[in-house]
Every structure is written in C-alpha cells, then in structure tokens.
Amino acid sequence: MIMLTIILNILLPPLSVYLKHGLGETFLISLILTLIGWLPGVIHAFIVNR
C-alpha cells in the first residue's frame, strides 16, 4: 500500500490525495498546485500523505 501511494504521489498527485482524504479543501489545493506545475503538486501530495 505504501508503494502504491508513493507511485501515485509522483504520477498523479491529486488522485493520491483524493484516495486518502476525499473531495475537499486538501484535494482542491493539490489539484491547483498540480495545474500550476507538476512539482508543487508532488511536494504537496508527499506532505499531505505522510
């Protein structure tokens, strides 16, 4: 499970945040950061899914 989370954090950050926290503020922040740039979305996903 941990390995899947790490892979999703890298490839699809909003999806990994959604799977752990559902639709909400955290997901929207992750989505916006990923749309601005892939790397901010990845960093946010790793911090939130810690």
Side-chain angles (χ1 to χ4, degrees):
M1 188 67 175
I2 294 173
M3 196 62 158
L4 177 63
T5 303
I6 291 172
I7 292 169
L8 284 177
N9 281 346
I10 294 169
L11 297 178
L12 298 167
L15 179 60
S16 69
V17 172
Y18 169 75
L19 291 175
K20 184 151 187 175
H21 299 281
L23 282 176
E25 184 178 318
T26 307
F27 172 74
L28 290 176
I29 292 170
S30 178
L31 184 63
I32 291 169
L33 287 172
T34 303
L35 290 174
I36 290 172
W38 172 76
L39 189 58
V42 171
I43 293 170
H44 179 261
F46 273 106
I47 291 171
V48 169
N49 289 332
R50 205 177 344 160

